[in-house]
PDB file of all heavy atoms in Angstrom:
ATOM      1  N   CYS R  11       7.230  14.982 -18.661  1.00 88.00           N
ATOM      2  CA  CYS R  11       6.615  13.960 -17.794  1.00 88.00           C
ATOM      3  C   CYS R  11       5.642  13.091 -18.609  1.00 88.00           C
ATOM      4  O   CYS R  11       5.566  11.881 -18.402  1.00 88.00           O
ATOM      5  CB  CYS R  11       5.894  14.641 -16.652  1.00 88.00           C
ATOM      6  SG  CYS R  11       6.946  15.451 -15.419  1.00 88.00           S
ATOM      7  N   LEU R  12       4.939  13.719 -19.517  1.00 89.00           N
ATOM      8  CA  LEU R  12       3.973  12.994 -20.376  1.00 89.00           C
ATOM      9  C   LEU R  12       4.731  11.932 -21.176  1.00 89.00           C
ATOM     10  O   LEU R  12       4.297  10.773 -21.246  1.00 89.00           O
ATOM     11  CB  LEU R  12       3.263  13.977 -21.283  1.00 89.00           C
ATOM     12  CG  LEU R  12       2.129  13.449 -22.175  1.00 89.00           C
ATOM     13  CD1 LEU R  12       1.100  14.559 -22.434  1.00 89.00           C
ATOM     14  CD2 LEU R  12       2.669  12.955 -23.533  1.00 89.00           C
ATOM     15  N   LEU R  13       5.828  12.330 -21.797  1.00 92.00           N
ATOM     16  CA  LEU R  13       6.618  11.373 -22.607  1.00 92.00           C
ATOM     17  C   LEU R  13       7.202  10.285 -21.729  1.00 92.00           C
ATOM     18  O   LEU R  13       7.239   9.102 -22.116  1.00 92.00           O
ATOM     19  CB  LEU R  13       7.717  12.118 -23.353  1.00 92.00           C
ATOM     20  CG  LEU R  13       7.232  13.095 -24.436  1.00 92.00           C
ATOM     21  CD1 LEU R  13       8.415  13.848 -25.022  1.00 92.00           C
ATOM     22  CD2 LEU R  13       6.478  12.385 -25.538  1.00 92.00           C
ATOM     23  N   ALA R  14       7.694  10.651 -20.549  1.00 90.00           N
ATOM     24  CA  ALA R  14       8.317   9.680 -19.639  1.00 90.00           C
ATOM     25  C   ALA R  14       7.286   8.644 -19.196  1.00 90.00           C
ATOM     26  O   ALA R  14       7.578   7.419 -19.152  1.00 90.00           O
ATOM     27  CB  ALA R  14       8.923  10.386 -18.438  1.00 90.00           C
ATOM     28  N   LEU R  15       6.095   9.077 -18.840  1.00 89.00           N
ATOM     29  CA  LEU R  15       5.037   8.163 -18.441  1.00 89.00           C
ATOM     30  C   LEU R  15       4.655   7.191 -19.543  1.00 89.00           C
ATOM     31  O   LEU R  15       4.474   5.988 -19.293  1.00 89.00           O
ATOM     32  CB  LEU R  15       3.783   8.973 -17.992  1.00 89.00           C
ATOM     33  CG  LEU R  15       3.910   9.702 -16.654  1.00 89.00           C
ATOM     34  CD1 LEU R  15       2.721  10.653 -16.441  1.00 89.00           C
ATOM     35  CD2 LEU R  15       3.983   8.729 -15.470  1.00 89.00           C
ATOM     36  N   PHE R  16       4.598   7.694 -20.758  1.00 92.00           N
ATOM     37  CA  PHE R  16       4.212   6.841 -21.897  1.00 92.00           C
ATOM     38  C   PHE R  16       5.290   5.818 -22.174  1.00 92.00           C
ATOM     39  O   PHE R  16       5.036   4.598 -22.289  1.00 92.00           O
ATOM     40  CB  PHE R  16       3.923   7.684 -23.094  1.00 92.00           C
ATOM     41  CG  PHE R  16       3.674   6.884 -24.345  1.00 92.00           C
ATOM     42  CD1 PHE R  16       2.512   6.212 -24.507  1.00 92.00           C
ATOM     43  CD2 PHE R  16       4.655   6.781 -25.342  1.00 92.00           C
ATOM     44  CE1 PHE R  16       2.250   5.459 -25.654  1.00 92.00           C
ATOM     45  CE2 PHE R  16       4.424   6.025 -26.481  1.00 92.00           C
ATOM     46  CZ  PHE R  16       3.203   5.356 -26.649  1.00 92.00           C
ATOM     47  N   VAL R  17       6.540   6.275 -22.299  1.00 92.00           N
ATOM     48  CA  VAL R  17       7.657   5.398 -22.687  1.00 92.00           C
ATOM     49  C   VAL R  17       7.909   4.337 -21.645  1.00 92.00           C
ATOM     50  O   VAL R  17       8.086   3.134 -21.952  1.00 92.00           O
ATOM     51  CB  VAL R  17       8.944   6.220 -22.942  1.00 92.00           C
ATOM     52  CG1 VAL R  17      10.121   5.336 -23.190  1.00 92.00           C
ATOM     53  CG2 VAL R  17       8.740   7.147 -24.178  1.00 92.00           C
ATOM     54  N   LEU R  18       7.969   4.717 -20.358  1.00 90.00           N
ATOM     55  CA  LEU R  18       8.250   3.746 -19.307  1.00 90.00           C
ATOM     56  C   LEU R  18       7.164   2.690 -19.210  1.00 90.00           C
ATOM     57  O   LEU R  18       7.449   1.497 -19.127  1.00 90.00           O
ATOM     58  CB  LEU R  18       8.392   4.457 -17.965  1.00 90.00           C
ATOM     59  CG  LEU R  18       8.645   3.515 -16.787  1.00 90.00           C
ATOM     60  CD1 LEU R  18      10.081   3.046 -16.801  1.00 90.00           C
ATOM     61  CD2 LEU R  18       8.348   4.158 -15.458  1.00 90.00           C
ATOM     62  N   THR R  19       5.910   3.119 -19.283  1.00 89.00           N
ATOM     63  CA  THR R  19       4.793   2.160 -19.207  1.00 89.00           C
ATOM     64  C   THR R  19       4.845   1.187 -20.397  1.00 89.00           C
ATOM     65  O   THR R  19       4.665  -0.015 -20.223  1.00 89.00           O
ATOM     66  CB  THR R  19       3.447   2.931 -19.233  1.00 89.00           C
ATOM     67  OG1 THR R  19       3.418   3.829 -18.147  1.00 89.00           O
ATOM     68  CG2 THR R  19       2.300   1.945 -19.065  1.00 89.00           C
ATOM     69  N   LEU R  20       5.116   1.702 -21.550  1.00 91.00           N
ATOM     70  CA  LEU R  20       5.143   0.869 -22.750  1.00 91.00           C
ATOM     71  C   LEU R  20       6.270  -0.139 -22.709  1.00 91.00           C
ATOM     72  O   LEU R  20       6.053  -1.349 -22.944  1.00 91.00           O
ATOM     73  CB  LEU R  20       5.287   1.747 -24.008  1.00 91.00           C
ATOM     74  CG  LEU R  20       5.048   1.073 -25.372  1.00 91.00           C
ATOM     75  CD1 LEU R  20       3.651   0.503 -25.462  1.00 91.00           C
ATOM     76  CD2 LEU R  20       5.336   2.058 -26.485  1.00 91.00           C
ATOM     77  N   ILE R  21       7.463   0.308 -22.332  1.00 92.00           N
ATOM     78  CA  ILE R  21       8.621  -0.608 -22.283  1.00 92.00           C
ATOM     79  C   ILE R  21       8.454  -1.717 -21.228  1.00 92.00           C
ATOM     80  O   ILE R  21       8.640  -2.884 -21.484  1.00 92.00           O
ATOM     81  CB  ILE R  21       9.909   0.199 -22.006  1.00 92.00           C
ATOM     82  CG1 ILE R  21      10.265   1.081 -23.207  1.00 92.00           C
ATOM     83  CG2 ILE R  21      11.075  -0.737 -21.692  1.00 92.00           C
ATOM     84  CD1 ILE R  21      11.465   1.964 -23.000  1.00 92.00           C
ATOM     85  N   CYS R  22       8.047  -1.307 -20.015  1.00 89.00           N
ATOM     86  CA  CYS R  22       7.894  -2.292 -18.934  1.00 89.00           C
ATOM     87  C   CYS R  22       6.794  -3.272 -19.220  1.00 89.00           C
ATOM     88  O   CYS R  22       6.912  -4.468 -18.870  1.00 89.00           O
ATOM     89  CB  CYS R  22       7.598  -1.535 -17.621  1.00 89.00           C
ATOM     90  SG  CYS R  22       8.975  -0.608 -16.986  1.00 89.00           S
ATOM     91  N   GLY R  23       5.717  -2.832 -19.868  1.00 88.00           N
ATOM     92  CA  GLY R  23       4.633  -3.744 -20.166  1.00 88.00           C
ATOM     93  C   GLY R  23       4.942  -4.705 -21.307  1.00 88.00           C
ATOM     94  O   GLY R  23       4.444  -5.827 -21.320  1.00 88.00           O
ATOM     95  N   LEU R  24       5.772  -4.260 -22.244  1.00 91.00           N
ATOM     96  CA  LEU R  24       6.101  -5.104 -23.386  1.00 91.00           C
ATOM     97  C   LEU R  24       7.199  -6.127 -23.130  1.00 91.00           C
ATOM     98  O   LEU R  24       7.346  -7.096 -23.892  1.00 91.00           O
ATOM     99  CB  LEU R  24       6.485  -4.233 -24.593  1.00 91.00           C
ATOM    100  CG  LEU R  24       5.381  -3.388 -25.219  1.00 91.00           C
ATOM    101  CD1 LEU R  24       5.938  -2.569 -26.367  1.00 91.00           C
ATOM    102  CD2 LEU R  24       4.245  -4.249 -25.689  1.00 91.00           C
ATOM    103  N   LEU R 169      -7.102  -4.345 -16.419  1.00 82.00           N
ATOM    104  CA  LEU R 169      -6.676  -3.292 -17.339  1.00 82.00           C
ATOM    105  C   LEU R 169      -7.562  -2.056 -17.150  1.00 82.00           C
ATOM    106  O   LEU R 169      -7.068  -0.950 -17.110  1.00 82.00           O
ATOM    107  CB  LEU R 169      -6.685  -3.777 -18.765  1.00 82.00           C
ATOM    108  CG  LEU R 169      -5.522  -4.687 -19.186  1.00 82.00           C
ATOM    109  CD1 LEU R 169      -5.847  -5.297 -20.557  1.00 82.00           C
ATOM    110  CD2 LEU R 169      -4.257  -3.900 -19.262  1.00 82.00           C
ATOM    111  N   LEU R 172      -6.869  -0.281 -13.757  1.00 81.00           N
ATOM    112  CA  LEU R 172      -5.601   0.421 -13.815  1.00 81.00           C
ATOM    113  C   LEU R 172      -5.640   1.616 -14.760  1.00 81.00           C
ATOM    114  O   LEU R 172      -4.976   2.629 -14.549  1.00 81.00           O
ATOM    115  CB  LEU R 172      -4.481  -0.542 -14.267  1.00 81.00           C
ATOM    116  CG  LEU R 172      -3.895  -1.436 -13.175  1.00 81.00           C
ATOM    117  CD1 LEU R 172      -2.884  -2.408 -13.765  1.00 81.00           C
ATOM    118  CD2 LEU R 172      -3.253  -0.612 -12.081  1.00 81.00           C
ATOM    119  N   SER R 173      -6.458   1.502 -15.822  1.00 84.00           N
ATOM    120  CA  SER R 173      -6.588   2.626 -16.783  1.00 84.00           C
ATOM    121  C   SER R 173      -7.262   3.830 -16.077  1.00 84.00           C
ATOM    122  O   SER R 173      -6.806   4.952 -16.242  1.00 84.00           O
ATOM    123  CB  SER R 173      -7.428   2.190 -18.002  1.00 84.00           C
ATOM    124  OG  SER R 173      -6.748   1.177 -18.728  1.00 84.00           O
ATOM    125  N   SER R 176      -4.724   5.292 -13.788  1.00 84.00           N
ATOM    126  CA  SER R 176      -3.641   5.972 -14.502  1.00 84.00           C
ATOM    127  C   SER R 176      -4.101   7.355 -14.997  1.00 84.00           C
ATOM    128  O   SER R 176      -3.323   8.295 -14.981  1.00 84.00           O
ATOM    129  CB  SER R 176      -3.184   5.113 -15.698  1.00 84.00           C
ATOM    130  OG  SER R 176      -2.628   3.894 -15.257  1.00 84.00           O
ATOM    131  N   LYS R 203       4.776   2.706 -11.127  1.00 82.00           N
ATOM    132  CA  LYS R 203       4.028   2.342 -12.334  1.00 82.00           C
ATOM    133  C   LYS R 203       4.775   1.317 -13.169  1.00 82.00           C
ATOM    134  O   LYS R 203       4.164   0.387 -13.716  1.00 82.00           O
ATOM    135  CB  LYS R 203       3.779   3.590 -13.152  1.00 82.00           C
ATOM    136  CG  LYS R 203       2.735   3.403 -14.254  1.00 82.00           C
ATOM    137  CD  LYS R 203       2.428   4.709 -14.894  1.00 82.00           C
ATOM    138  CE  LYS R 203       1.288   4.525 -15.929  1.00 82.00           C
ATOM    139  NZ  LYS R 203       0.035   4.091 -15.305  1.00 82.00           N
ATOM    140  N   VAL R 207       2.997  -2.238 -14.235  1.00 87.00           N
ATOM    141  CA  VAL R 207       2.707  -2.532 -15.641  1.00 87.00           C
ATOM    142  C   VAL R 207       3.463  -3.765 -16.106  1.00 87.00           C
ATOM    143  O   VAL R 207       2.942  -4.554 -16.893  1.00 87.00           O
ATOM    144  CB  VAL R 207       3.022  -1.318 -16.524  1.00 87.00           C
ATOM    145  CG1 VAL R 207       2.792  -1.643 -17.975  1.00 87.00           C
ATOM    146  CG2 VAL R 207       2.169  -0.150 -16.116  1.00 87.00           C
ATOM    147  N   VAL R 225      -0.217  -6.626 -26.802  1.00 90.00           N
ATOM    148  CA  VAL R 225       0.502  -5.363 -27.158  1.00 90.00           C
ATOM    149  C   VAL R 225      -0.475  -4.204 -27.184  1.00 90.00           C
ATOM    150  O   VAL R 225      -0.179  -3.111 -26.686  1.00 90.00           O
ATOM    151  CB  VAL R 225       1.222  -5.529 -28.483  1.00 90.00           C
ATOM    152  CG1 VAL R 225       1.788  -4.188 -28.975  1.00 90.00           C
ATOM    153  CG2 VAL R 225       2.353  -6.541 -28.365  1.00 90.00           C
ATOM    154  N   LEU R 226      -1.645  -4.389 -27.811  1.00 90.00           N
ATOM    155  CA  LEU R 226      -2.637  -3.336 -27.864  1.00 90.00           C
ATOM    156  C   LEU R 226      -3.130  -2.935 -26.477  1.00 90.00           C
ATOM    157  O   LEU R 226      -3.374  -1.777 -26.197  1.00 90.00           O
ATOM    158  CB  LEU R 226      -3.827  -3.766 -28.741  1.00 90.00           C
ATOM    159  CG  LEU R 226      -3.584  -3.843 -30.255  1.00 90.00           C
ATOM    160  CD1 LEU R 226      -4.792  -4.400 -30.976  1.00 90.00           C
ATOM    161  CD2 LEU R 226      -3.244  -2.447 -30.786  1.00 90.00           C
ATOM    162  N   SER R 227      -3.275  -3.954 -25.585  1.00 88.00           N
ATOM    163  CA  SER R 227      -3.698  -3.670 -24.234  1.00 88.00           C
ATOM    164  C   SER R 227      -2.689  -2.808 -23.495  1.00 88.00           C
ATOM    165  O   SER R 227      -3.031  -1.849 -22.813  1.00 88.00           O
ATOM    166  CB  SER R 227      -3.922  -4.972 -23.474  1.00 88.00           C
ATOM    167  OG  SER R 227      -4.940  -5.762 -24.097  1.00 88.00           O
ATOM    168  N   ILE R 228      -1.381  -3.165 -23.618  1.00 90.00           N
ATOM    169  CA  ILE R 228      -0.370  -2.407 -22.948  1.00 90.00           C
ATOM    170  C   ILE R 228      -0.249  -1.009 -23.562  1.00 90.00           C
ATOM    171  O   ILE R 228      -0.054  -0.001 -22.850  1.00 90.00           O
ATOM    172  CB  ILE R 228       0.992  -3.141 -23.079  1.00 90.00           C
ATOM    173  CG1 ILE R 228       0.975  -4.438 -22.275  1.00 90.00           C
ATOM    174  CG2 ILE R 228       2.123  -2.244 -22.584  1.00 90.00           C
ATOM    175  CD1 ILE R 228       0.757  -4.269 -20.787  1.00 90.00           C
ATOM    176  N   LEU R 229      -0.427  -0.915 -24.867  1.00 91.00           N
ATOM    177  CA  LEU R 229      -0.366   0.389 -25.541  1.00 91.00           C
ATOM    178  C   LEU R 229      -1.498   1.309 -25.051  1.00 91.00           C
ATOM    179  O   LEU R 229      -1.250   2.498 -24.779  1.00 91.00           O
ATOM    180  CB  LEU R 229      -0.455   0.224 -27.057  1.00 91.00           C
ATOM    181  CG  LEU R 229      -0.459   1.502 -27.907  1.00 91.00           C
ATOM    182  CD1 LEU R 229       0.843   2.268 -27.686  1.00 91.00           C
ATOM    183  CD2 LEU R 229      -0.650   1.181 -29.384  1.00 91.00           C
ATOM    184  N   SER R 230      -2.698   0.769 -24.941  1.00 90.00           N
ATOM    185  CA  SER R 230      -3.831   1.558 -24.438  1.00 90.00           C
ATOM    186  C   SER R 230      -3.615   1.984 -23.010  1.00 90.00           C
ATOM    187  O   SER R 230      -3.938   3.117 -22.627  1.00 90.00           O
ATOM    188  CB  SER R 230      -5.125   0.755 -24.580  1.00 90.00           C
ATOM    189  OG  SER R 230      -5.115  -0.414 -23.805  1.00 90.00           O
ATOM    190  N   LEU R 231      -3.034   1.045 -22.196  1.00 88.00           N
ATOM    191  CA  LEU R 231      -2.753   1.408 -20.811  1.00 88.00           C
ATOM    192  C   LEU R 231      -1.689   2.474 -20.715  1.00 88.00           C
ATOM    193  O   LEU R 231      -1.742   3.376 -19.861  1.00 88.00           O
ATOM    194  CB  LEU R 231      -2.305   0.137 -20.041  1.00 88.00           C
ATOM    195  CG  LEU R 231      -1.995   0.299 -18.559  1.00 88.00           C
ATOM    196  CD1 LEU R 231      -3.201   0.854 -17.794  1.00 88.00           C
ATOM    197  CD2 LEU R 231      -1.559  -1.021 -17.967  1.00 88.00           C
ATOM    198  N   ALA R 232      -0.686   2.413 -21.614  1.00 89.00           N
ATOM    199  CA  ALA R 232       0.408   3.374 -21.601  1.00 89.00           C
ATOM    200  C   ALA R 232      -0.091   4.772 -21.952  1.00 89.00           C
ATOM    201  O   ALA R 232       0.499   5.794 -21.568  1.00 89.00           O
ATOM    202  CB  ALA R 232       1.480   2.944 -22.572  1.00 89.00           C
ATOM    203  N   LEU R 233      -1.187   4.847 -22.715  1.00 91.00           N
ATOM    204  CA  LEU R 233      -1.744   6.149 -23.133  1.00 91.00           C
ATOM    205  C   LEU R 233      -2.603   6.815 -22.057  1.00 91.00           C
ATOM    206  O   LEU R 233      -2.912   8.016 -22.182  1.00 91.00           O
ATOM    207  CB  LEU R 233      -2.583   5.962 -24.409  1.00 91.00           C
ATOM    208  CG  LEU R 233      -1.799   5.639 -25.668  1.00 91.00           C
ATOM    209  CD1 LEU R 233      -2.769   5.274 -26.804  1.00 91.00           C
ATOM    210  CD2 LEU R 233      -0.918   6.813 -26.103  1.00 91.00           C
ATOM    211  N   MET R 234      -2.983   6.083 -21.012  1.00 88.00           N
ATOM    212  CA  MET R 234      -3.928   6.585 -20.037  1.00 88.00           C
ATOM    213  C   MET R 234      -3.363   7.740 -19.180  1.00 88.00           C
ATOM    214  O   MET R 234      -3.976   8.768 -19.018  1.00 88.00           O
ATOM    215  CB  MET R 234      -4.434   5.477 -19.132  1.00 88.00           C
ATOM    216  CG  MET R 234      -5.330   4.430 -19.828  1.00 88.00           C
ATOM    217  SD  MET R 234      -6.801   5.158 -20.563  1.00 88.00           S
ATOM    218  CE  MET R 234      -6.357   5.150 -22.297  1.00 88.00           C
ATOM    219  N   SER R 235      -2.151   7.552 -18.670  1.00 86.00           N
ATOM    220  CA  SER R 235      -1.532   8.628 -17.863  1.00 86.00           C
ATOM    221  C   SER R 235      -1.254   9.866 -18.667  1.00 86.00           C
ATOM    222  O   SER R 235      -1.554  10.985 -18.226  1.00 86.00           O
ATOM    223  CB  SER R 235      -0.219   8.121 -17.201  1.00 86.00           C
ATOM    224  OG  SER R 235      -0.534   7.224 -16.112  1.00 86.00           O
ATOM    225  N   PRO R 236      -0.663   9.750 -19.897  1.00 88.00           N
ATOM    226  CA  PRO R 236      -0.529  10.934 -20.732  1.00 88.00           C
ATOM    227  C   PRO R 236      -1.871  11.605 -21.063  1.00 88.00           C
ATOM    228  O   PRO R 236      -1.939  12.841 -21.154  1.00 88.00           O
ATOM    229  CB  PRO R 236       0.125  10.396 -22.002  1.00 88.00           C
ATOM    230  CG  PRO R 236       0.907   9.209 -21.533  1.00 88.00           C
ATOM    231  CD  PRO R 236       0.053   8.584 -20.475  1.00 88.00           C
ATOM    232  N   LEU R 237      -2.937  10.788 -21.212  1.00 88.00           N
ATOM    233  CA  LEU R 237      -4.255  11.352 -21.462  1.00 88.00           C
ATOM    234  C   LEU R 237      -4.724  12.193 -20.305  1.00 88.00           C
ATOM    235  O   LEU R 237      -5.207  13.326 -20.443  1.00 88.00           O
ATOM    236  CB  LEU R 237      -5.247  10.226 -21.743  1.00 88.00           C
ATOM    237  CG  LEU R 237      -6.694  10.655 -21.885  1.00 88.00           C
ATOM    238  CD1 LEU R 237      -6.912  11.589 -23.088  1.00 88.00           C
ATOM    239  CD2 LEU R 237      -7.624   9.412 -22.022  1.00 88.00           C
ATOM    240  N   GLY R 238      -4.559  11.634 -19.061  1.00 85.00           N
ATOM    241  CA  GLY R 238      -4.938  12.379 -17.897  1.00 85.00           C
ATOM    242  C   GLY R 238      -4.103  13.672 -17.731  1.00 85.00           C
ATOM    243  O   GLY R 238      -4.629  14.748 -17.358  1.00 85.00           O
TER     244      GLY R 238
END
Side-chain angles (χ1 to χ4, degrees):
C11 291
L12 186 151
L13 294 175
L15 287 169
F16 174 75
V17 172
L18 178 76
T19 304
L20 191 62
I21 292 176
C22 291
L24 291 179
L169 283 168
L172 279 176
S173 295
S176 296
K203 193 173 185 64
V207 177
V225 171
L226 287 175
S227 298
I228 294 299
L229 179 61
S230 62
L231 181 58
L233 290 171
M234 292 300 105
S235 287
L237 174 62

